[in-house]
PDB file of all heavy atoms in Angstrom:
ATOM      1  N   ILE A  19      -7.212  86.683 -76.439  1.00  0.00           N
ATOM      2  CA  ILE A  19      -5.941  86.096 -76.874  1.00  0.00           C
ATOM      3  C   ILE A  19      -5.248  85.405 -75.713  1.00  0.00           C
ATOM      4  O   ILE A  19      -4.764  84.277 -75.816  1.00  0.00           O
ATOM      5  CB  ILE A  19      -5.025  87.178 -77.482  1.00  0.00           C
ATOM      6  CG1 ILE A  19      -5.599  87.650 -78.824  1.00  0.00           C
ATOM      7  CG2 ILE A  19      -3.619  86.646 -77.691  1.00  0.00           C
ATOM      8  CD1 ILE A  19      -4.898  88.869 -79.379  1.00  0.00           C
ATOM      9  N   LEU A  20      -5.184  86.093 -74.574  1.00  0.00           N
ATOM     10  CA  LEU A  20      -4.523  85.535 -73.394  1.00  0.00           C
ATOM     11  C   LEU A  20      -5.214  84.262 -72.939  1.00  0.00           C
ATOM     12  O   LEU A  20      -4.568  83.286 -72.546  1.00  0.00           O
ATOM     13  CB  LEU A  20      -4.512  86.564 -72.266  1.00  0.00           C
ATOM     14  CG  LEU A  20      -3.595  87.765 -72.488  1.00  0.00           C
ATOM     15  CD1 LEU A  20      -3.816  88.796 -71.385  1.00  0.00           C
ATOM     16  CD2 LEU A  20      -2.149  87.334 -72.509  1.00  0.00           C
ATOM     17  N   ILE A  23      -4.362  81.403 -75.383  1.00  0.00           N
ATOM     18  CA  ILE A  23      -2.981  80.947 -75.210  1.00  0.00           C
ATOM     19  C   ILE A  23      -2.844  80.168 -73.905  1.00  0.00           C
ATOM     20  O   ILE A  23      -2.199  79.123 -73.837  1.00  0.00           O
ATOM     21  CB  ILE A  23      -2.015  82.147 -75.219  1.00  0.00           C
ATOM     22  CG1 ILE A  23      -1.973  82.764 -76.616  1.00  0.00           C
ATOM     23  CG2 ILE A  23      -0.617  81.724 -74.824  1.00  0.00           C
ATOM     24  CD1 ILE A  23      -1.158  84.025 -76.700  1.00  0.00           C
ATOM     25  N   ASP A  64       9.193  90.329 -73.637  1.00  0.00           N
ATOM     26  CA  ASP A  64      10.586  90.111 -74.038  1.00  0.00           C
ATOM     27  C   ASP A  64      11.102  88.789 -73.480  1.00  0.00           C
ATOM     28  O   ASP A  64      11.870  88.077 -74.144  1.00  0.00           O
ATOM     29  CB  ASP A  64      11.465  91.262 -73.544  1.00  0.00           C
ATOM     30  CG  ASP A  64      11.233  92.555 -74.299  1.00  0.00           C
ATOM     31  OD1 ASP A  64      10.672  92.500 -75.410  1.00  0.00           O
ATOM     32  OD2 ASP A  64      11.612  93.622 -73.771  1.00  0.00           O
ATOM     33  N   GLN A  79       1.564  85.744 -80.894  1.00  0.00           N
ATOM     34  CA  GLN A  79       0.552  86.557 -80.227  1.00  0.00           C
ATOM     35  C   GLN A  79       1.196  87.730 -79.486  1.00  0.00           C
ATOM     36  O   GLN A  79       0.638  88.834 -79.441  1.00  0.00           O
ATOM     37  CB  GLN A  79      -0.256  85.694 -79.256  1.00  0.00           C
ATOM     38  CG  GLN A  79      -1.026  84.565 -79.915  1.00  0.00           C
ATOM     39  CD  GLN A  79      -2.052  85.059 -80.925  1.00  0.00           C
ATOM     40  OE1 GLN A  79      -2.480  86.206 -80.868  1.00  0.00           O
ATOM     41  NE2 GLN A  79      -2.440  84.190 -81.850  1.00  0.00           N
ATOM     42  N   GLU A  89       0.955 101.030 -77.816  1.00  0.00           N
ATOM     43  CA  GLU A  89      -0.055 102.052 -78.098  1.00  0.00           C
ATOM     44  C   GLU A  89      -0.605 102.636 -76.797  1.00  0.00           C
ATOM     45  O   GLU A  89      -0.682 103.864 -76.628  1.00  0.00           O
ATOM     46  CB  GLU A  89      -1.192 101.463 -78.915  1.00  0.00           C
ATOM     47  CG  GLU A  89      -2.311 102.466 -79.192  1.00  0.00           C
ATOM     48  CD  GLU A  89      -3.533 101.832 -79.828  1.00  0.00           C
ATOM     49  OE1 GLU A  89      -3.772 100.634 -79.591  1.00  0.00           O
ATOM     50  OE2 GLU A  89      -4.249 102.544 -80.547  1.00  0.00           O
ATOM     51  N   LEU A  93      -0.104 106.435 -75.332  1.00  0.00           N
ATOM     52  CA  LEU A  93      -1.254 107.296 -75.034  1.00  0.00           C
ATOM     53  C   LEU A  93      -1.150 107.878 -73.625  1.00  0.00           C
ATOM     54  O   LEU A  93      -1.484 109.048 -73.397  1.00  0.00           O
ATOM     55  CB  LEU A  93      -2.551 106.517 -75.205  1.00  0.00           C
ATOM     56  CG  LEU A  93      -2.955 106.197 -76.646  1.00  0.00           C
ATOM     57  CD1 LEU A  93      -4.138 105.242 -76.679  1.00  0.00           C
ATOM     58  CD2 LEU A  93      -3.276 107.475 -77.419  1.00  0.00           C
ATOM     59  N   THR A  98       0.345 112.696 -70.189  1.00  0.00           N
ATOM     60  CA  THR A  98       1.234 113.343 -69.224  1.00  0.00           C
ATOM     61  C   THR A  98       1.948 114.533 -69.856  1.00  0.00           C
ATOM     62  O   THR A  98       2.072 115.601 -69.249  1.00  0.00           O
ATOM     63  CB  THR A  98       2.274 112.336 -68.705  1.00  0.00           C
ATOM     64  OG1 THR A  98       1.596 111.253 -68.049  1.00  0.00           O
ATOM     65  CG2 THR A  98       3.235 112.990 -67.724  1.00  0.00           C
ATOM     66  N   SER A 110       4.217 130.557 -68.396  1.00  0.00           N
ATOM     67  CA  SER A 110       4.897 131.566 -69.210  1.00  0.00           C
ATOM     68  C   SER A 110       3.950 132.700 -69.594  1.00  0.00           C
ATOM     69  O   SER A 110       4.359 133.871 -69.641  1.00  0.00           O
ATOM     70  CB  SER A 110       5.495 130.926 -70.473  1.00  0.00           C
ATOM     71  OG  SER A 110       4.486 130.421 -71.325  1.00  0.00           O
ATOM     72  N   GLU A 111       2.680 132.385 -69.819  1.00  0.00           N
ATOM     73  CA  GLU A 111       1.702 133.432 -70.144  1.00  0.00           C
ATOM     74  C   GLU A 111       1.443 134.338 -68.948  1.00  0.00           C
ATOM     75  O   GLU A 111       1.176 135.540 -69.116  1.00  0.00           O
ATOM     76  CB  GLU A 111       0.395 132.788 -70.613  1.00  0.00           C
ATOM     77  CG  GLU A 111       0.498 132.170 -72.005  1.00  0.00           C
ATOM     78  CD  GLU A 111      -0.767 131.433 -72.402  1.00  0.00           C
ATOM     79  OE1 GLU A 111      -1.683 131.308 -71.549  1.00  0.00           O
ATOM     80  OE2 GLU A 111      -0.849 130.984 -73.565  1.00  0.00           O
ATOM     81  N   PRO A 115       3.624 139.158 -69.122  1.00  0.00           N
ATOM     82  CA  PRO A 115       3.300 140.580 -68.954  1.00  0.00           C
ATOM     83  C   PRO A 115       4.284 141.332 -68.044  1.00  0.00           C
ATOM     84  O   PRO A 115       4.341 142.564 -68.094  1.00  0.00           O
ATOM     85  CB  PRO A 115       1.902 140.554 -68.318  1.00  0.00           C
ATOM     86  CG  PRO A 115       1.324 139.243 -68.734  1.00  0.00           C
ATOM     87  CD  PRO A 115       2.478 138.297 -68.739  1.00  0.00           C
ATOM     88  N   ASP A 138      19.998 152.637 -68.334  1.00  0.00           N
ATOM     89  CA  ASP A 138      21.398 153.069 -68.361  1.00  0.00           C
ATOM     90  C   ASP A 138      22.326 152.023 -67.739  1.00  0.00           C
ATOM     91  O   ASP A 138      23.398 152.354 -67.224  1.00  0.00           O
ATOM     92  CB  ASP A 138      21.557 154.403 -67.633  1.00  0.00           C
ATOM     93  CG  ASP A 138      21.219 154.306 -66.150  1.00  0.00           C
ATOM     94  OD1 ASP A 138      20.537 153.321 -65.755  1.00  0.00           O
ATOM     95  OD2 ASP A 138      21.630 155.197 -65.385  1.00  0.00           O
ATOM     96  N   ASN A 150      17.414 135.255 -73.355  1.00  0.00           N
ATOM     97  CA  ASN A 150      17.533 135.631 -74.763  1.00  0.00           C
ATOM     98  C   ASN A 150      16.257 135.254 -75.514  1.00  0.00           C
ATOM     99  O   ASN A 150      15.493 134.390 -75.089  1.00  0.00           O
ATOM    100  CB  ASN A 150      18.789 135.029 -75.407  1.00  0.00           C
ATOM    101  CG  ASN A 150      18.720 133.526 -75.609  1.00  0.00           C
ATOM    102  OD1 ASN A 150      17.667 132.951 -75.820  1.00  0.00           O
ATOM    103  ND2 ASN A 150      19.866 132.873 -75.538  1.00  0.00           N
ATOM    104  N   ALA A 166      39.005 147.252 -62.955  1.00  0.00           N
ATOM    105  CA  ALA A 166      39.082 145.853 -63.373  1.00  0.00           C
ATOM    106  C   ALA A 166      39.457 144.995 -62.169  1.00  0.00           C
ATOM    107  O   ALA A 166      40.469 145.243 -61.515  1.00  0.00           O
ATOM    108  CB  ALA A 166      40.113 145.683 -64.479  1.00  0.00           C
ATOM    109  N   ASN A 175      22.647 137.014 -52.290  1.00  0.00           N
ATOM    110  CA  ASN A 175      22.501 136.736 -50.863  1.00  0.00           C
ATOM    111  C   ASN A 175      21.121 137.130 -50.352  1.00  0.00           C
ATOM    112  O   ASN A 175      20.458 138.007 -50.901  1.00  0.00           O
ATOM    113  CB  ASN A 175      23.600 137.432 -50.052  1.00  0.00           C
ATOM    114  CG  ASN A 175      23.702 138.909 -50.376  1.00  0.00           C
ATOM    115  OD1 ASN A 175      22.802 139.692 -50.074  1.00  0.00           O
ATOM    116  ND2 ASN A 175      24.802 139.301 -51.026  1.00  0.00           N
ATOM    117  N   ALA A 188      38.865 130.469 -67.146  1.00  0.00           N
ATOM    118  CA  ALA A 188      40.038 131.340 -67.239  1.00  0.00           C
ATOM    119  C   ALA A 188      40.291 131.730 -68.690  1.00  0.00           C
ATOM    120  O   ALA A 188      40.203 130.904 -69.596  1.00  0.00           O
ATOM    121  CB  ALA A 188      41.264 130.624 -66.666  1.00  0.00           C
ATOM    122  N   VAL A 196      36.036 147.395 -70.455  1.00  0.00           N
ATOM    123  CA  VAL A 196      35.222 148.476 -71.020  1.00  0.00           C
ATOM    124  C   VAL A 196      35.535 149.761 -70.262  1.00  0.00           C
ATOM    125  O   VAL A 196      35.167 149.923 -69.096  1.00  0.00           O
ATOM    126  CB  VAL A 196      33.713 148.161 -70.914  1.00  0.00           C
ATOM    127  CG1 VAL A 196      32.898 149.293 -71.520  1.00  0.00           C
ATOM    128  CG2 VAL A 196      33.391 146.843 -71.604  1.00  0.00           C
ATOM    129  N   GLU A 197      36.238 150.680 -70.927  1.00  0.00           N
ATOM    130  CA  GLU A 197      36.552 151.990 -70.346  1.00  0.00           C
ATOM    131  C   GLU A 197      37.120 151.866 -68.936  1.00  0.00           C
ATOM    132  O   GLU A 197      36.694 152.539 -67.998  1.00  0.00           O
ATOM    133  CB  GLU A 197      35.292 152.865 -70.335  1.00  0.00           C
ATOM    134  CG  GLU A 197      34.759 153.175 -71.719  1.00  0.00           C
ATOM    135  CD  GLU A 197      33.508 154.029 -71.677  1.00  0.00           C
ATOM    136  OE1 GLU A 197      33.014 154.298 -70.552  1.00  0.00           O
ATOM    137  OE2 GLU A 197      33.009 154.416 -72.747  1.00  0.00           O
ATOM    138  N   GLU A 207      24.793 127.474 -68.268  1.00  0.00           N
ATOM    139  CA  GLU A 207      25.410 126.419 -67.466  1.00  0.00           C
ATOM    140  C   GLU A 207      26.128 126.962 -66.234  1.00  0.00           C
ATOM    141  O   GLU A 207      26.402 126.218 -65.290  1.00  0.00           O
ATOM    142  CB  GLU A 207      26.377 125.585 -68.315  1.00  0.00           C
ATOM    143  CG  GLU A 207      27.482 126.367 -68.984  1.00  0.00           C
ATOM    144  CD  GLU A 207      27.157 126.787 -70.409  1.00  0.00           C
ATOM    145  OE1 GLU A 207      25.963 127.011 -70.707  1.00  0.00           O
ATOM    146  OE2 GLU A 207      28.094 126.893 -71.213  1.00  0.00           O
ATOM    147  N   GLU A 208      26.409 128.251 -66.243  1.00  0.00           N
ATOM    148  CA  GLU A 208      27.094 128.864 -65.096  1.00  0.00           C
ATOM    149  C   GLU A 208      26.133 129.499 -64.098  1.00  0.00           C
ATOM    150  O   GLU A 208      26.509 129.707 -62.937  1.00  0.00           O
ATOM    151  CB  GLU A 208      28.092 129.926 -65.608  1.00  0.00           C
ATOM    152  CG  GLU A 208      29.235 129.327 -66.412  1.00  0.00           C
ATOM    153  CD  GLU A 208      29.859 130.298 -67.402  1.00  0.00           C
ATOM    154  OE1 GLU A 208      29.334 131.414 -67.580  1.00  0.00           O
ATOM    155  OE2 GLU A 208      30.877 129.920 -68.012  1.00  0.00           O
ATOM    156  N   TRP A 215      17.986 128.840 -57.376  1.00  0.00           N
ATOM    157  CA  TRP A 215      18.089 129.215 -55.959  1.00  0.00           C
ATOM    158  C   TRP A 215      17.378 130.540 -55.710  1.00  0.00           C
ATOM    159  O   TRP A 215      16.651 130.690 -54.726  1.00  0.00           O
ATOM    160  CB  TRP A 215      19.567 129.322 -55.566  1.00  0.00           C
ATOM    161  CG  TRP A 215      19.804 129.682 -54.131  1.00  0.00           C
ATOM    162  CD1 TRP A 215      19.868 128.834 -53.062  1.00  0.00           C
ATOM    163  CD2 TRP A 215      20.020 131.002 -53.601  1.00  0.00           C
ATOM    164  NE1 TRP A 215      20.112 129.529 -51.903  1.00  0.00           N
ATOM    165  CE2 TRP A 215      20.206 130.864 -52.193  1.00  0.00           C
ATOM    166  CE3 TRP A 215      20.078 132.272 -54.155  1.00  0.00           C
ATOM    167  CZ2 TRP A 215      20.444 131.954 -51.363  1.00  0.00           C
ATOM    168  CZ3 TRP A 215      20.310 133.352 -53.331  1.00  0.00           C
ATOM    169  CH2 TRP A 215      20.492 133.199 -51.954  1.00  0.00           C
ATOM    170  N   SER A 244      13.916 140.043 -59.461  1.00  0.00           N
ATOM    171  CA  SER A 244      13.972 139.752 -60.894  1.00  0.00           C
ATOM    172  C   SER A 244      14.808 138.514 -61.211  1.00  0.00           C
ATOM    173  O   SER A 244      14.560 137.839 -62.217  1.00  0.00           O
ATOM    174  CB  SER A 244      14.531 140.960 -61.666  1.00  0.00           C
ATOM    175  OG  SER A 244      15.909 141.154 -61.404  1.00  0.00           O
ATOM    176  N   ARG A 262       7.055 119.884 -76.070  1.00  0.00           N
ATOM    177  CA  ARG A 262       6.484 119.820 -77.419  1.00  0.00           C
ATOM    178  C   ARG A 262       7.327 118.924 -78.338  1.00  0.00           C
ATOM    179  O   ARG A 262       6.783 118.234 -79.213  1.00  0.00           O
ATOM    180  CB  ARG A 262       6.364 121.226 -78.010  1.00  0.00           C
ATOM    181  CG  ARG A 262       5.286 122.063 -77.319  1.00  0.00           C
ATOM    182  CD  ARG A 262       5.174 123.463 -77.899  1.00  0.00           C
ATOM    183  NE  ARG A 262       4.224 124.255 -77.149  1.00  0.00           N
ATOM    184  CZ  ARG A 262       2.898 124.230 -77.322  1.00  0.00           C
ATOM    185  NH1 ARG A 262       2.376 123.440 -78.261  1.00  0.00           N
ATOM    186  NH2 ARG A 262       2.101 125.000 -76.591  1.00  0.00           N
ATOM    187  N   ILE A 263       8.631 118.929 -78.148  1.00  0.00           N
ATOM    188  CA  ILE A 263       9.497 118.026 -78.917  1.00  0.00           C
ATOM    189  C   ILE A 263       9.188 116.575 -78.562  1.00  0.00           C
ATOM    190  O   ILE A 263       9.079 115.706 -79.436  1.00  0.00           O
ATOM    191  CB  ILE A 263      10.986 118.344 -78.649  1.00  0.00           C
ATOM    192  CG1 ILE A 263      11.338 119.719 -79.231  1.00  0.00           C
ATOM    193  CG2 ILE A 263      11.891 117.267 -79.237  1.00  0.00           C
ATOM    194  CD1 ILE A 263      12.713 120.214 -78.852  1.00  0.00           C
ATOM    195  N   ALA A 275       3.232 102.115 -83.601  1.00  0.00           N
ATOM    196  CA  ALA A 275       2.542 101.051 -82.870  1.00  0.00           C
ATOM    197  C   ALA A 275       1.248 100.664 -83.590  1.00  0.00           C
ATOM    198  O   ALA A 275       0.919  99.471 -83.708  1.00  0.00           O
ATOM    199  CB  ALA A 275       2.250 101.500 -81.443  1.00  0.00           C
ATOM    200  N   ARG A 276       0.511 101.640 -84.070  1.00  0.00           N
ATOM    201  CA  ARG A 276      -0.748 101.351 -84.761  1.00  0.00           C
ATOM    202  C   ARG A 276      -0.506 100.697 -86.119  1.00  0.00           C
ATOM    203  O   ARG A 276      -1.276  99.834 -86.552  1.00  0.00           O
ATOM    204  CB  ARG A 276      -1.561 102.631 -84.890  1.00  0.00           C
ATOM    205  CG  ARG A 276      -2.143 103.069 -83.545  1.00  0.00           C
ATOM    206  CD  ARG A 276      -2.853 104.396 -83.592  1.00  0.00           C
ATOM    207  NE  ARG A 276      -3.547 104.639 -82.316  1.00  0.00           N
ATOM    208  CZ  ARG A 276      -4.113 105.797 -81.982  1.00  0.00           C
ATOM    209  NH1 ARG A 276      -4.063 106.834 -82.827  1.00  0.00           N
ATOM    210  NH2 ARG A 276      -4.709 105.933 -80.812  1.00  0.00           N
TER     211      ARG A 276
END
Side-chain angles (χ1 to χ4, degrees):
I19 290 170
L20 290 173
I23 292 174
D64 288 341
Q79 298 299 338
E89 178 188 28
L93 288 171
T98 299
S110 65
E111 288 175 354
D138 64 342
N150 71 31
N175 52 68
V196 181
E197 297 179 355
E207 57 266 31
E208 294 155 353
W215 181 86
S244 70
R262 290 180 185 277
I263 292 172
R276 288 175 172 171

